[in-house]
Amino acid sequence: MGKYYQAEFETMPRDEMKKLQSERLVNTVARVYENVPYYRELMDKKGVKPKDIKSIDDLSLLPFISKDDLRDAYPYGMLAVPLADAVRIQSTSGTTGRRVVAFYTQNDVDLWDECCARAIVAVGGTKEDVVHVSYGYGLFTGGPGLNGGSHKVGSLTIPMSSGNTERQIQFMVDLESTILCCTPSYAAYLAETVHEMGLRDKIKLKAGIFGAEAWSEEMRHHIEDRLGIKAYDIYGLTEISGPGVSFECEEQTGMHINEDHFIAEIINPITGEVLPDGEKGELVFTSISKEAFPLLRYRTRDICVLSREKCSCGRTLVKMAKPMGRSDDMLIIRGVNVFPSQIETVLIGCGFEANYQLVVDRVNYSDTLEVKVEMTPAMFSDEIRKLEGLDNQVEAKLKSMLGIQANVTLVAPKSITRSEGKAVRVIDNRGGKL
Ligand code: DLL
């Protein structure tokens, strides 16, 4: 297997990749126009027929699809194969509105597993490894995706799911897990508990594959340091398949998009205009090998940047930077755009761990931002004198990073609930207040 899981695609020359993408796109467009009335209507409305799409250069003629379209078409409206050919569903973790349900044929599951296998091999995984999957299993794609990838690689797979943290760590020690897969916030919690249990020396982990939520470079260094591993990012979304839409290689400078399956574009989120590589905007994906649930120009609402700089790992696949978070996670505080991951960068840079919560409110017609952050046990045992002024220092750094005033409250260790899946960092109490 070597350095790549599927070298043919991962290192494919660009002109060949363009040809492959074009063929698959033409085929997908013809298929959805034929089989999915919802698409036919959208395309007719835009005045575009399958014959107008001759290569990926014609991609921008196609209409966008948004989460609202998927909600409208719930449950079966976007299905592109007979229901009898679908073998699985997965669903988004959203708690409001109708859930989005994605369908898979057996071939779709196989290709998805291969994408995850590429991610595992890219972090050095082989059949000798013990892959500890602590993403949730069930409707969430994290557990099933990495589980399938690990099987493809031939690694021993531990389907732990999330929760029961001490038992997780006991298994990790007893079974000598080498690759940990979970959300970065859960990795930080696991690391904290490993230290509390005094088991740091008994852990054999070498790498982690962490994703499903935005996390900062500072968080990466923190986890790497606490667990003595290399921490790699992985990205994906249920609508497009799940984890493995893109994955990080040994360079750790962004995630390679599996372009033989997904065409990426960056657009201006307001005008919909396609932006050149290197510009920041909303990420849009077109899936070109999915049978059951192919999506054309799906707006992810994730804000990020694409780069085609040559990667030292030898992969020719385009790279996406760490998404800062969804445009819907972005807080607008007194007119200023704030991403929780920016606050995380400042807090970890000031010596805190990633245990924090943001409380947004509106008082006297003006937005307020409170940053509650846990003191580390070492800070907590320091003299009061040393702590004095720490909150002011953090406030000053936040002000220079964000351009707005935040109130920092230092809280006792362990007072903020730990996350076992996607962390909930923001409490927004403004709803309806003037
Ligand atoms: O979170 C799939 C996944 C599972 C990815 C495990 C990676 C690992 P959803 O629940 O549908 O699917 O949420 C998708 O999560 O649009 C992003 O906003 C966010 N997201 C996923 N990966 C990353 C990442 C899974 N590496 C949404 N960095 C996406 C930042 C991420 N945000």
Side-chain angles (χ1 to χ4, degrees):
M1 200 174 292
K3 204 172 158 195
Y4 313 107
Y5 181 68
Q6 288 170 313
E8 182 196 353
F9 298 107
E10 294 176 57
T11 62
M12 186 174 258
R14 291 305 313 171
D15 51 341
E16 277 180 44
M17 179 60 80
K18 186 172 171 186
K19 203 164 147 253
L20 178 71
Q21 285 185 319
S22 294
E23 276 166 19
R24 291 185 172 179
L25 175 69
V26 168
N27 193 300
T28 301
V29 171
R31 219 157 38 82
V32 298
Y33 190 85
E34 179 69 26
N35 298 335
V36 186
Y38 198 97
Y39 270 117
R40 199 178 315 135
E41 241 171 70
L42 279 182
M43 285 174 59
D44 286 346
K45 215 152 92 199
K46 207 162 182 257
V48 51
K49 296 280 175 219
K51 66 172 173 28
D52 301 326
I53 309 298
K54 297 183 193 75
S55 80
I56 56 166
D57 297 332
D58 303 318
L59 192 59
S60 62
L61 299 176
L62 293 166
F64 290 116
I65 291 284
S66 70
K67 199 164 203 148
D68 287 340
D69 289 301
L70 302 189
R71 291 200 172 117
D72 275 356
Y74 174 89
Y76 295 131
M78 286 280 183
L79 195 61
V81 294
L83 190 56
D85 292 347
V87 298
R88 171 97 72 84
I89 69 147
Q90 302 286 161
S91 178
T92 52
S93 40
T95 47
T96 53
R98 280 174 167 176
R99 274 182 170 264
V100 167
V101 172
F103 298 85
Y104 305 72
T105 62
Q106 185 55 51
N107 191 50
D108 292 336
V109 174
D110 286 339
L111 298 185
W112 175 28
D113 288 350
E114 285 174 6
C115 287
C116 290
R118 291 181 191 180
I120 294 171
V121 171
V123 310
T126 68
K127 67 191 285 289
E128 309 301 328
D129 277 290
V130 178
V131 177
H132 190 109
V133 185
S134 306
Y135 286 112
Y137 282 67
L139 289 173
F140 178 55
T141 52
L146 271 306
N147 194 97
S150 173
H151 275 234
K152 289 266 180 203
V153 177
S155 313
L156 176 65
T157 312
I158 311 182
M160 282 302 307
S161 199
S162 57
N164 211 335
T165 302
E166 292 194 358
R167 191 181 65 185
Q168 298 252 1
I169 292 167
Q170 203 54 55
F171 263 117
M172 219 177 257
V173 170
D174 296 345
L175 299 174
E176 305 193 346
S177 309
T178 53
I179 299 180
L180 172 64
C181 306
C182 62
T183 59
S185 54
Y186 193 42
Y189 178 26
L190 280 164
E192 183 182 29
T193 314
V194 164
H195 280 259
E196 281 169 6
M197 291 168 78
L199 292 174
R200 170 67 182 79
D201 294 342
K202 301 265 185 305
I203 296 284
K204 298 280 189 309
L205 289 177
K206 62 179 189 190
I209 304 181
F210 306 133
E213 62 186 3
W215 54 309
S216 58
E217 279 304 319
E218 286 67 20
M219 177 88 154
R220 186 204 304 267
H221 298 142
H222 171 73
I223 298 171
E224 289 189 330
D225 192 47
R226 297 300 302 265
L227 286 175
I229 61 171
K230 284 268 177 208
Y232 298 89
D233 206 348
I234 184 166
Y235 168 91
L237 59 167
T238 316
E239 299 90 312
I240 298 296
S241 65
V245 170
S246 64
F247 61 95
E248 222 166 35
C249 64
E250 71 237 23
E251 229 192 45
Q252 293 180 299
T253 53
M255 293 171 275
H256 289 286
I257 296 174
N258 283 314
E259 286 181 284
D260 47 327
H261 301 304
F262 317 108
I263 305 176
E265 299 171 276
I266 293 283
I267 62 162
N268 175 324
I270 298 167
T271 62
E273 175 205 356
V274 179
L275 301 175
D277 290 344
E279 282 197 32
K280 189 160 88 184
E282 179 178 346
L283 189 55
V284 171
F285 283 112
T286 298
S287 49
I288 48 173
S289 52
K290 292 275 293 275
E291 292 176 341
F293 200 69
L295 295 187
L296 302 181
R297 302 193 87 202
Y298 182 67
R299 295 186 59 157
T300 63
R301 294 186 279 189
D302 290 319
I303 303 296
C304 104
V305 178
L306 297 182
S307 155
R308 290 205 180 267
E309 261 171 49
K310 204 164 183 263
C311 187
S312 61
C313 77
R315 289 181 183 77
T316 49
L317 304 171
V318 68
K319 278 206 280 202
M320 58 182 266
K322 260 183 181 307
M324 298 181 76
R326 286 201 161 188
S327 47
D328 6 357
D329 295 338
M330 186 181 77
L331 296 163
I332 303 182
I333 298 174
R334 296 195 287 281
V336 177
N337 299 346
V338 175
F339 279 100
S341 54
Q342 294 174 297
I343 296 179
E344 180 178 291
T345 299
V346 171
L347 295 177
I348 298 181
C350 290
F352 292 93
E353 294 186 1
N355 300 311
Y356 62 94
Q357 199 165 52
L358 313 178
V359 185
V360 188
D361 209 336
R362 185 161 292 152
V363 179
N364 293 335
Y365 312 106
S366 175
D367 297 332
T368 59
L369 169 63
E370 182 188 11
V371 177
K372 286 189 181 164
V373 57
E374 263 182 30
M375 285 176 274
T376 60
M379 288 174 182
F380 197 56
S381 59
D382 268 347
E383 303 144 39
I384 294 285
R385 192 170 45 82
K386 283 202 194 150
L387 285 179
E388 270 174 21
L390 185 57
D391 46 356
N392 294 338
Q393 278 172 37
V394 182
E395 280 170 12
K397 292 215 166 105
L398 286 172
K399 173 111 203 224
S400 87
M401 159 80 94
L402 309 172
I404 56 162
Q405 181 68 37
N407 291 320
V408 172
T409 309
L410 304 181
V411 297
K414 296 275 172 169
S415 55
I416 292 177
T417 313
R418 300 291 185 266
S419 140
E420 295 176 346
K422 297 192 191 224
V424 180
R425 306 279 195 200
V426 181
I427 301 174
D428 196 332
N429 294 325
R430 288 177 296 185
K433 289 186 193 167
L434 282 177

